[in-house]
Amino acid sequence: SSNHALQKVKKIFSAAKCGHTGTLDPMATGLLPICFGEATKFSAHLLGAEKSYIATLKLGFLSTTGDAEGEIHQLEIPEYPTQAKCERILSQFTGTTQQIPPMYSALKYQGKPLYQYARNGDTIARPARDINIDTLQILSLHDDELRISVRCSSGTYIRVLAEDIGKALGCGGAYLTDLRRTAIDRFNIAQAQTLQAIENLESGERQRLLLSIDHLLQDYPMIQL
């Protein structure tokens, strides 16, 4: 989990204070920026930043959680969508739209996260909220497996997007078999280090991996006093 990764990094760096900048879904991989010390005061800047993902959708299936962790139901598909149809449908999802958050999410209702209600079989009414899809591109299409890249606003649920795309393609739905976060704001997966790689470094080498707090503040004008 994101918190497990955070605790491991905190121990490796012997940090008194640290925090991550946005939880990854349990099955997701990819970029998890972590702030130490004074930098944690500015971590909220990344919480609301745009994010990029690479997602693999299984068309013609529904999952109770929207991903491979849930209970999977196969649907009848009259035919697999073509590349041209996928490109036409995906273009309809770009821009500002509304999305209903999933029940399996950490959003709170009466002090409890929604996933606790979902595990008990309860459904809570969730208001739709505005999201923005900046770019949505097809990376590959093989029968019922569609791989896409997406850059979107904070608060966008890729699991819900996958299900909505599946329905719009006439497949009844879809679920995520793989999800990887590749970027948050100006931070990219190419800059990231694996936990294993960090653990294998000497203390001095680890310190050289850390970026200055200024990297979080580049949207602000600099004033010299």
Side-chain angles (χ1 to χ4, degrees):
S1 69
S2 299
N3 187 60
H4 182 246
L6 174 69
Q7 295 308 320
K8 286 196 74 171
V9 172
K10 183 178 181 181
K11 185 177 180 181
I12 290 169
F13 281 90
S14 301
K17 185 179 181 182
C18 69
H20 62 64
T21 57
T23 304
L24 281 167
D25 282 351
M27 66 157 276
T29 62
L31 186 65
L32 184 71
I34 291 176
C35 297
F36 295 98
E38 291 294 298
T40 58
K41 295 177 181 178
F42 304 100
S43 61
H45 175 72
L46 290 185
L47 286 173
E50 279 197 335
K51 298 173 176 63
S52 296
Y53 298 90
I54 292 176
T56 304
L57 285 61
K58 192 76 168 174
L59 304 174
F61 292 80
L62 283 178
S63 166
T64 52
T65 59
D67 57 25
E69 306 247 310
E71 186 179 330
I72 311 299
H73 301 279
Q74 186 172 3
L75 306 170
E76 291 293 330
I77 305 180
E79 59 181 0
Y80 296 129
T82 63
Q83 178 94 8
K85 183 176 182 180
C86 287
E87 288 176 353
R88 186 175 73 254
I89 294 299
L90 261 61
S91 68
Q92 299 172 9
F93 284 87
T94 57
T96 301
T97 59
Q98 286 204 317
Q99 186 184 76
I100 298 175
M103 275 300 299
Y104 279 91
S105 67
L107 294 177
K108 297 288 182 66
Y109 176 77
Q110 294 184 348
K112 291 199 306 183
L114 287 176
Y115 63 77
Q116 289 188 9
Y117 294 96
R119 287 171 182 169
N120 293 328
D122 299 325
T123 301
I124 306 299
R126 290 99 60 207
R129 56 187 187 180
D130 288 341
I131 62 166
N132 186 72
I133 307 292
D134 189 37
T135 59
L136 185 56
Q137 297 177 319
I138 298 172
L139 299 178
S140 64
L141 174 65
H142 300 291
D143 296 332
D144 64 351
E145 186 175 277
L146 174 64
R147 196 160 175 259
I148 61 173
S149 67
V150 54
R151 185 163 180 84
C152 56
S153 61
S154 177
T156 303
Y157 286 90
I158 307 300
R159 288 175 287 142
V160 177
L161 178 64
E163 190 171 307
D164 290 344
I165 288 173
K167 290 176 181 176
L169 285 171
C171 300
Y175 75 95
L176 292 180
T177 59
D178 188 71
L179 180 65
R180 185 164 182 81
R181 188 161 64 191
T182 56
I184 299 179
D185 196 37
R186 62 177 60 85
F187 297 99
N188 191 279
I189 191 72
Q191 300 169 270
Q193 303 287 333
T194 65
L195 282 172
Q196 188 66 54
I198 295 171
E199 285 178 314
N200 292 338
L201 292 174
E202 296 294 329
S203 177
E205 294 175 305
R206 290 176 191 150
Q207 294 301 318
R208 284 193 286 273
L209 293 177
L210 299 179
L211 302 174
S212 69
I213 298 178
D214 286 353
H215 283 77
L216 290 172
L217 305 175
Q218 291 182 18
D219 289 338
Y220 293 90
M222 182 171 67
I223 301 174
Q224 293 185 345
L225 301 178

